[in-house]
Amino acid sequence: MKNIVVIGAGTMGNGIAHTFAQSGFKVNLVDVSQEALDRGLKTITTNLDRIIAKGNLTEEQKAETLGNITTFTALQNAVGSADLIVEAATENQELKLKIFGQMDEFAPENCILATNTSSISITKIAAATKRADKVIGMHFMNPVPIMKLVEIIKGYSTSKETFDAIYEMSKTLGKVPVEVNDYPGFVANRILMPMINESIETLYNGVAGVEEIDTVMKLGMAHPMGPLQLADFIGLDVCLAILNVMYDGFKNPKYAPNPLLVNMVMAGKLGVKSGEGFYDYSESKKAEKVAKMFSK
């Protein structure tokens, strides 16, 4: 596989495109607007500059990486010679099913269709295509160029050939692939999201404040960042969407999102991306100031 298409130029999409391009693959990056694509390329350029500053990349390698990326606003124009398409659109089931129908229609017959979904059923996504054996989950972690893990999720009909090809390709990207079966939340979010939700529940019940909860988990459990800061980093809307998928999939009340999380998303307090969540990011992206709503 040499020709890669990445659908979505947002946080995950541009990170996936960056990773493939830096590994020498030709990447077609697709989004609905040129503005979104330009933002994605700007992020990739900034991240490459950070790697250069650490002495782990040369200016020539940066130029080669950016030269491996071509942008498109029309999916059908980007996928004609694709060996692998990785969908990294918003975590919305209806949107993903629509995109996969289009991918199946326009992509070559032997092209593998992968999704970066963090919770939605691979089997359900595959059912929107006529090539269920070639549909697979490829769940990267954020930030993609740095994080080593990739969850490789098999749908009900995913073939061994497809799984083996994606498993081995992940290694060529410098990642550590882990085989996972198709259940809501997979492994990472099935464990992480209930922890985040319980942290919000702890705050909601007045057990402790934002900084106190995060400090306990950082210093007591050796987590690199607290769960409320991590929720802000992921995006509270994304956390809510994943919890809803798991709640709908398992029908178990332990996955029901806390009312505080629901209200914050409805109010547009989504974390880093909106400038405010559990912390105030108007002056810094480093969660140095608790949001006014939660300040003492």
Side-chain angles (χ1 to χ4, degrees), residues 11-171:
T11 300
M12 295 304 295
N14 71 60
I16 294 167
H18 171 166
T19 300
F20 273 106
Q22 192 175 330
S23 298
F25 293 91
K26 295 296 183 183
V27 179
N28 288 349
L29 181 59
V30 184
D31 210 308
V32 292
S33 72
Q34 190 59 48
E35 182 183 6
L37 290 165
D38 291 342
R39 284 197 305 269
L41 285 175
K42 182 178 179 181
T43 298
I44 293 170
T45 302
T46 299
N47 289 336
L48 288 169
D49 287 337
R50 287 196 183 111
I51 300 173
I52 290 172
K54 294 178 180 178
N56 296 324
L57 196 75
T58 66
E59 287 288 349
E60 291 76 15
Q61 289 170 319
K62 171 188 170 182
E64 288 174 9
T65 298
L66 292 173
N68 284 335
I69 303 173
T70 306
T71 60
F72 293 83
T73 54
L75 185 147
Q76 60 266 39
N77 296 336
V79 302
S81 59
D83 299 309
L84 168 66
I85 305 175
V86 182
E87 171 273 319
T90 303
E91 192 71 356
N92 177 286
Q93 182 172 285
E94 287 70 28
L95 176 61
K96 289 183 185 293
L97 294 177
K98 178 181 177 182
I99 290 172
F100 265 78
Q102 294 171 341
M103 288 159 59
D104 187 45
E105 178 182 356
F106 296 121
E109 185 177 339
N110 293 324
C111 179
I112 293 175
L113 310 181
T115 175
N116 182 59
T117 181
S118 53
S119 61
I120 299 169
S121 167
I122 307 303
T123 302
K124 180 171 283 189
I125 290 172
T129 76
K130 296 181 177 66
R131 61 179 91 189
D133 60 315
K134 292 183 174 64
V135 176
I136 194 165
M138 207 175 179
H139 180 211
F140 292 85
M141 303 294 126
N142 184 28
V144 180
I146 296 172
M147 299 292 279
K148 292 290 187 182
L149 175 67
V150 183
E151 286 186 306
I152 310 296
I153 307 110
K154 300 178 295 182
Y156 185 83
S157 301
T158 303
S159 69
K160 184 179 186 302
E161 291 75 17
T162 296
F163 175 82
D164 288 346
I166 296 303
Y167 192 91
E168 292 305 317
M169 168 176 268
S170 299
K171 292 180 183 178

